[in-house]
Amino acid sequence: MTDASRLASSAYSQALELIASVEPRIAEATRQELVDQRASLKLIASENYASPAVLMTMGTWFSDKYAEGTVGHRFYAGCQNVDTVEALAAEHARELFGAEHAYVQPHSGIDANLVAFWSILAHRVEGPWLERAEKKNVSELTEEDWEALRKELGNQRLLGMSLDAGGHLTHGFRPNISGKMFHQQQYGTDPTTGLLDYDAVAAKAREFKPLVLVAGYSAYPRRVNFAKMREIADEVGATLMVDMAHFAGLVAGKVFTGDEDPVPHAHVVTTTTHKSLRGPRGGMVLATAEYAPSVDRGCPMVLGGPLSHVMAAKAVALAEARQDSFRGYAQQVADNAKSLAEGFLTRGADLVTGGTDNHLVLLDVSSFGLTGRQAESALLDAGVVTNRNSVPNDPNGAWYTSGIRLGTPALTTRGFGHDEFDRVAELIVDVLRNTEAGTTKAGGPSKASYALGDGVADRVKAASAEMLDKHPLYPGLELS
Ligand code: DSN
């Protein structure tokens, strides 16, 4: 047992004993969550396993401190230690990503995107608007000025990738606030190849003239050329915002460099910290110096008080990501995604875009006669945790879907390599081939019910257990 495992075993065992003395059911659910995570194939592309050091950093008295404002400029007294934590997290983020500015307060990816949107509006609209109104600062604006400004803000335009092409809800999807606060249009992917068509994005941008061009994705299995996206943004006078939540770990690990690294090309980059970056649950905004002052207004503009305990954990995770070993991890995540994709293709399964060159694979399950919902449920019965996802122009909509999204960051953390991911593809195909779509009570085709063949779940769980046992989650961590 390593020193780290010994320390974690003892710390968690004692913490759970303390929790159990107050509410034993929470202690029990916490133990059970570890048992369940250890026993399943976690393939959700947006999940990972943070280190015990990162997890423990979140469980401290920093949780009790209010710290609205920024480092050295707080609305509360007594923030000297929060200042240390926030400054360190931001420094690690700037160094790791080569960013001019880092804002580490967002509580989630959606919050990071809201900070980015409002800071872009503040920077692009409020500044020139104040000049036109011949006012020096916001406090001088009259009620009439505000009314006119609100009208102008409401008319701002955003162009982002559509949800079914792999974009995120916050990239202008109508039911999301981003689709309401902006006049939005969406770009898709080429109907034949499933790939981004930069000429089509440029044509749409020329016609629509967005204030914000959003690049980035949560279910697109390919790399993006951010230099090209910046050219498009510059040509139409847009601000380029990149949401790298899914692939931040691949940027940090230098798998995505040059034109594929968003940081040198975008004005504003947002991310979560818990996906491929393998940190605590949270968000972050990177920006050029020009956008920094408006980004720093995130709290209290759109964020509640910063979660200082999570900012501390971000600092620990970013320090981990700056270690050389993280580059090896990130490269393995991408290599494993290729192994997974090849495993599916050699067994005749359909992949959106025909493969992957990032951390995820989007499997179209319609050739198995299933919806995404049926496939997701059958896989879960067999201990394979995935999430259903739309494919481009999905006939089954965003609830039932026709796809399954699979990612490699979590199992790569456990040590899975090429052979294991090939086997994972084999097991998934086994489940899907042996699942039949069910019928509704009225006897029509159902998009939700299904029947998994006898013995399949046990067979797949046994095969998974062999691999999982070889690559334990948190090796050496034992709870007493
Ligand atoms: N929930 C994240 C994902 O799964 O991609 C994004 O919001």
Side-chain angles (χ1 to χ4, degrees):
M1 194 188 283
T2 63
D3 276 357
S5 305
R6 189 175 45 75
L7 289 171
S9 301
S10 150
Y12 278 119
S13 296
Q14 290 176 40
L16 287 170
E17 199 180 318
L18 181 64
I19 295 165
S21 71
V22 181
E23 175 46 288
R25 290 168 296 182
I26 292 297
E28 188 42 42
T30 307
R31 280 175 189 274
Q32 190 58 42
E33 180 62 19
L34 179 60
V35 171
D36 292 351
Q37 290 205 20
R38 280 179 157 165
S40 58
L41 286 177
K42 190 202 266 212
L43 287 158
I44 292 183
S46 47
E47 293 186 5
N48 211 325
Y49 303 106
S51 71
V54 168
L55 298 178
M56 274 183 189
T57 309
M58 284 186 279
T60 78
W61 27 91
F62 268 125
S63 172
D64 298 329
K65 187 76 196 92
Y66 250 122
E68 288 182 20
T70 47
V71 176
H73 186 77
R74 305 283 183 188
F75 291 88
Y76 291 83
C79 293
Q80 61 282 1
N81 299 310
V82 179
D83 279 355
T84 302
V85 157
E86 183 170 352
L88 260 174
E91 182 188 319
H92 279 309
R94 285 194 308 273
E95 293 292 325
L96 177 63
F97 292 106
E100 289 176 8
H101 185 68
Y103 182 66
V104 297
Q105 293 191 14
H107 308 163
S108 70
I110 287 187
D111 287 355
N113 286 352
L114 272 178
V115 170
F117 291 147
W118 283 111
S119 62
I120 292 168
L121 285 171
H123 182 76
R124 294 289 305 271
V125 180
E126 206 175 273
W129 205 91
L130 281 177
E131 254 172 56
R132 279 209 305 281
E134 295 180 350
K135 302 281 160 59
K136 282 205 176 57
N137 62 53
V138 177
S139 62
E140 290 178 18
L141 294 178
T142 63
E143 202 34 56
E144 280 156 14
D145 292 334
W146 274 112
E147 193 48 44
L149 177 59
R150 271 194 287 270
K151 207 165 162 209
E152 193 162 333
L153 287 171
N155 284 336
Q156 291 310 327
R157 294 177 180 162
L158 176 143
L159 179 61
M161 192 180 204
S162 67
L163 190 66
D164 69 345
H168 189 253
L169 291 167
T170 53
H171 299 178
F173 187 54
R174 269 254 178 255
N176 181 264
I177 181 81
S178 59
K180 300 186 196 301
M181 64 186 272
F182 287 101
H183 173 37
Q184 57 78 30
Q185 280 196 14
Q186 308 258 273
Y187 58 84
T189 45
D190 181 276
T192 315
T193 61
L195 298 172
L196 257 178
D197 175 347
Y198 296 94
D199 291 338
V201 177
K204 202 152 209 173
R206 273 181 217 119
E207 194 188 322
F208 185 51
K209 298 207 172 22
L211 180 87
V212 188
L213 175 64
V214 182
Y217 52 79
S218 59
Y220 178 67
R222 296 289 176 176
R223 301 182 186 196
V224 174
N225 184 321
F226 296 109
K228 278 193 185 162
M229 294 304 265
R230 176 61 186 258
E231 269 173 38
I232 296 169
D234 283 347
E235 188 191 327
V236 301
T239 295
L240 178 62
M241 170 182 152
V242 175
D243 178 348
M244 66 168 182
H246 260 263
F247 52 92
L250 301 189
V251 178
K254 309 296 175 216
V255 176
F256 291 0
T257 56
D259 293 351
E260 294 164 357
D261 176 353
V263 180
H265 302 293
H267 300 92
V268 180
V269 177
T270 61
T271 187
T272 51
T273 45
H274 51 273
K275 297 187 174 88
S276 53
L277 193 52
R278 210 165 57 181
R281 188 156 292 274
M284 197 160 73
V285 182
L286 308 176
T288 58
E290 184 195 355
Y291 281 81
S294 48
V295 165
D296 277 349
R297 286 162 57 192
C299 168
M301 180 166 56
V302 289
L303 295 176
L307 309 176
S308 305
H309 55 308
V310 182
M311 292 196 295
K314 287 173 188 170
V316 174
L318 290 163
E320 288 177 348
R322 291 184 68 189
Q323 293 170 3
D324 286 345
S325 56
F326 194 84
R327 293 193 183 197
Y329 163 71
Q331 187 58 54
Q332 193 63 53
V333 165
D335 292 349
N336 283 343
K338 281 213 184 309
S339 304
L340 184 64
E342 280 158 20
F344 283 126
L345 293 171
T346 53
R347 292 172 179 91
D350 287 339
L351 300 183
V352 173
T353 78
T356 179
D357 49 28
N358 56 22
H359 66 295
L360 71 88
V361 165
L362 191 55
L363 177 63
D364 186 334
V365 294
S366 38
S367 62
F368 294 96
L370 301 171
T371 63
R373 169 107 187 245
Q374 290 161 330
E376 176 193 85
S377 304
L379 287 166
L380 187 62
D381 291 346
V384 184
V385 189
T386 66
N387 72 284
R388 63 187 186 278
N389 207 99
S390 303
V391 300
N393 305 309
D394 201 312
N396 288 322
W399 179 251
Y400 292 108
T401 81
S402 303
I404 288 289
R405 187 185 66 165
L406 305 151
T408 55
L411 289 179
T412 304
T413 294
R414 282 185 80 148
F416 277 44
H418 168 82
D419 293 350
E420 283 94 352
F421 272 100
D422 180 62
R423 182 87 169 116
V424 167
E426 186 183 8
L427 297 177
I428 290 175
V429 170
D430 185 11
V431 172
L432 299 180
R433 280 193 185 139
N434 287 293
T435 302
E436 276 190 24
T439 50
T440 60
K441 279 188 191 140
S446 165
K447 291 185 176 184
S449 67
Y450 63 97
L452 179 59
D454 286 345
V456 180
D458 288 343
R459 177 166 82 220
V460 169
K461 279 182 183 168
S464 302
E466 267 180 39
M467 293 188 283
L468 293 166
D469 288 349
K470 271 192 214 143
H471 300 286
L473 173 60
Y474 305 127
L477 193 162
E478 282 163 25
L479 301 179
S480 58

